[in-house]
Amino acid sequence: MNIQNYINGQYANPLNNEWLDNYCPSNGDIYGQIPNSSKEDIELAYQAAKEAFQTWSQTTPEERSRILIKISELLEQNLERFAEAESKDNGKPVSLANTVDIPRAASNFRFFGNAITQFASESHESVGQDAINYTLRQPIGVVGCISPWNLPLYLFTWKIAPAIAAGNCVVAKPSEVTPMTAYLLGEICTKAGLPKGVLNIVHGLGTTTGQAIVEHPEIKAISFTGGTTTGAHIARTAAPMFKKLSLELGGKNPNLIFADCDYEDMLNTTVRSSFANQGQICLCGSRIFVEAGIYKRFKADFIAKVKTLKVGHPSKSDTNIGALVSKPHLEKVLGYIERAEEENNTILCGGKKVSVAGFENGYYLEPTVIEVTSNECNTNQEEIFGPVVTIMPFSTEDEALKIANDVKYGLSAALWTNNLKRTMRLSAKLQVGIVWVNTWMLRDLRTPFGGMKASGVGREGGFEALRFFTEAKNVCIKY
Ligand code: NAD
């Protein structure tokens, strides 16, 4: 199926008529083409957004809310169609797209549709000076949203929904690896009555189409989710133009498991936090550190459970692990496994490609557990972003904290303990944006989301996202 850009409320071919192949990860087939858009398409999208901003920025929060909630309802009504498209494009099990990706995309629109009606500005009475200060929260104008391939519609809409809720108009680019659900979203937006030009979706490569969004002098803010290297490049490009940036980048998240935790709950959740979405979630716990006293038991039980995970075609209901997103990505992950062996780490299970009967050209990989002897090895320092985790014992709380923090990333951590004082101590000292205690990936959209260190700059989620997508202006009136 060939897809098109969605500009000014209409589907259109790229102006240069250049196309890229779109691969299906579960069988390796090319199943369609996508626009390889140029900076001229971005200019067209920008002009449409600029024009739409004249009226969209003047609508009431209630009017915008009504349209966002309608988009959410239409996504829910089209759940199956979107979930199947997401699975085909990304390789993830349909059961995951059905229960997580698409419902969450719908929630993003519903949440920000509601949140904008509650987004109040502050006022401060300057006592003794006969003055009152109040803050105007004004939309920025035309903003850029750029998203990755691992949670395609989920993350695309996580940016778009707050941007348009706050009264901005958007030029957005999904990953060229997974463009399908973003393409389908255009039709839903039109049906929901979103005025033309408010959302423009342009497909193409990061280095050309994405770069043209970041380089556009009139696109004043960029919300980006993707790799740390790309984030650094975007920051360098945007800096001379003083663009507002939100960067949600890579992770190498620690799981700290203490002997006093609820063991079964920890074990089941740790399998999920390791391999959900083929381990391709920035929040996956890819470094597992276990208190020495339960290390042997954990190692045996964890491997036994991992070996029961079924790698299979994403459409099968008993599939736990689908295909990795692309051939280059599969090769990259296999390269990390090879290097782990060269570093004298031990592959405890997995590590090999899987041939799924009938789909031999798909990008399947066994869930892989590697035992490392030091946190300093590359295997524990570099983001692998696949179904690969490491395990290692620790002796004391201080040691656990040190190795957890001893990495350039700082996105999230999972802490397993029933000791309240330890929970409070470690939560305060872990250098991450999100700490989960005795759980993983429990998300509440009102909370701030983002990372420290090389995992990013800024926070999204809740009112943080609405703050990002608005300019705060202080007005001081002397009376
Ligand atoms: P990527 O950085 O290669 O690409 C992300 C997006 O940026 C794509 O749409 C791509 O086309 C675009 N892009 C690439 N070069 C660009 C440029 N020069 N200018 C503008 N846009 C450009 O990342 P990916 O491989 O798609 O995604 C995987 C990465 O995303 C992992 O590192 C993962 O940890 C990270 N991620 C982070 C979060 C988070 O919330 N922190 C969430 C999901 C994924």
Side-chain angles (χ1 to χ4, degrees), residues 249-477:
L249 312 175
K252 188 77 179 177
N253 311 307
N255 278 13
L256 299 183
I257 299 172
F258 287 86
D260 64 11
C261 69
D262 290 337
Y263 188 81
E264 284 306 315
D265 190 14
M266 174 279 293
L267 192 63
N268 292 326
T269 309
T270 303
V271 172
R272 205 163 54 83
S273 69
S274 301
F275 301 111
N277 203 41
Q278 297 70 245
Q280 301 167 143
I281 304 181
C282 54
L283 304 165
C284 277
S286 51
R287 293 183 298 145
I288 303 173
F289 301 115
V290 186
E291 196 168 3
I294 58 164
Y295 183 72
K296 235 172 117 182
R297 178 182 172 204
F298 173 82
K299 181 170 149 180
D301 292 346
F302 186 60
I303 290 166
K305 276 215 181 271
V306 172
K307 282 186 173 164
T308 67
L309 294 175
K310 186 157 187 291
V311 179
H313 192 271
S315 67
K316 297 262 166 65
S317 59
D318 62 346
T319 291
N320 303 114
I321 299 191
L324 269 64
V325 75
S326 68
K327 197 168 180 200
H329 189 59
L330 171 67
E331 278 159 10
K332 187 173 146 201
V333 175
L334 282 166
Y336 277 115
I337 296 172
E338 220 171 274
R339 281 207 289 289
E341 284 183 298
E342 286 162 15
E343 289 187 312
N344 291 324
N345 295 313
T346 313
I347 313 288
L348 297 174
C349 71
K352 304 227 160 31
K353 279 204 262 189
V354 178
S355 178
V356 173
F359 308 100
E360 287 77 7
N361 292 328
Y363 318 135
Y364 300 96
L365 179 62
E366 290 173 335
T368 303
V369 182
I370 304 174
E371 186 171 50
V372 295
T373 48
S374 152
N375 182 55
E376 281 159 26
C377 63
N378 288 332
T379 310
N380 250 34
Q381 292 294 319
E382 289 174 27
E383 184 185 45
I384 298 176
F385 215 57
V388 180
V389 291
T390 67
I391 64 170
M392 186 184 138
F394 67 82
S395 301
T396 63
E397 186 182 310
D398 283 350
E399 186 195 350
L401 179 67
K402 185 176 177 309
I403 49 183
N405 284 341
D406 193 6
V407 71
K408 73 173 176 177
Y409 297 104
L411 190 53
S412 69
L415 178 56
W416 289 91
T417 179
N418 278 317
N419 180 326
L420 180 62
K421 287 184 181 168
R422 172 183 288 144
T423 300
M424 304 304 282
R425 275 193 302 268
L426 289 179
S427 301
K429 288 181 185 160
L430 282 163
Q431 295 165 356
V432 293
I434 304 147
V435 180
W436 277 294
V437 183
N438 299 329
T439 185
W440 176 72
M441 206 55 190
L442 194 164
R443 293 280 296 117
D444 181 324
L445 303 193
R446 292 169 298 182
T447 59
F449 178 91
M452 295 185 183
K453 305 198 289 192
S455 289
V457 177
R459 293 293 181 270
E460 297 186 340
F463 289 154
E464 297 282 344
L466 295 177
R467 286 188 195 106
F468 175 76
F469 283 115
T470 50
E471 287 284 8
K473 182 189 288 174
N474 183 67
V475 181
C476 175
I477 302 177

Side-chain angles (χ1 to χ4, degrees), residues 147 149 173 176 206 210-211 224-227 230 248-250 282 383:
S147 59
W149 49 256
K173 191 193 93 64
E176 62 275 26
Q211 181 79 15
F224 168 80
T225 299
T230 316
E248 302 288 347
L249 312 175
C282 54
E383 184 185 45

Side-chain angles (χ1 to χ4, degrees), residues 37-211:
S37 306
S38 62
K39 78 174 201 237
E40 284 70 31
D41 298 291
I42 295 298
E43 186 56 33
L44 217 57
Y46 166 72
Q47 291 299 339
K50 183 182 166 199
E51 176 68 29
F53 184 71
Q54 303 300 320
T55 42
W56 186 246
S57 59
Q58 300 307 309
T59 53
T60 63
E62 288 72 21
E63 280 174 82
R64 299 196 294 272
S65 173
R66 191 178 49 74
I67 294 173
L68 265 80
I69 288 169
K70 185 77 194 158
I71 297 173
S72 168
E73 287 166 358
L74 288 171
L75 277 174
E76 281 161 353
Q77 286 162 23
N78 286 274
L79 176 76
E80 298 294 325
R81 181 169 160 240
F82 272 76
E84 274 161 29
E86 198 74 296
S87 167
K88 186 168 184 182
D89 219 20
N90 171 280
K92 68 178 69 208
V94 179
S95 57
L96 191 71
N98 254 329
T99 51
V100 177
D101 292 78
I102 310 306
R104 172 57 190 276
S107 296
N108 288 340
F109 283 106
R110 189 180 304 277
F111 175 83
F112 285 108
N114 286 319
I116 195 62
T117 65
Q118 306 294 321
F119 186 48
S121 70
E122 316 93 63
S123 70
H124 307 275
E125 189 183 357
S126 301
V127 179
Q129 301 190 72
D130 290 344
I132 188 146
N133 284 273
Y134 65 91
T135 308
L136 288 175
R137 283 265 166 199
Q138 297 175 314
I140 296 169
V142 179
V143 300
C145 298
I146 302 175
S147 59
W149 49 256
N150 64 320
L151 300 166
L153 195 66
Y154 175 133
L155 289 174
F156 193 59
T157 55
W158 179 236
K159 300 175 176 307
I160 289 166
I164 63 179
N168 300 284
C169 293
V170 176
V171 177
K173 191 193 93 64
S175 169
E176 62 275 26
V177 188
T178 52
M180 191 52 80
T181 46
Y183 164 69
L184 298 175
L185 181 67
E187 177 191 319
I188 295 276
C189 289
T190 302
K191 270 199 195 139
L194 188 72
K196 63 181 188 174
V198 173
L199 171 62
N200 304 278
I201 302 169
V202 189
H203 300 274
L205 296 172
T207 45
T208 49
T209 319
Q211 181 79 15

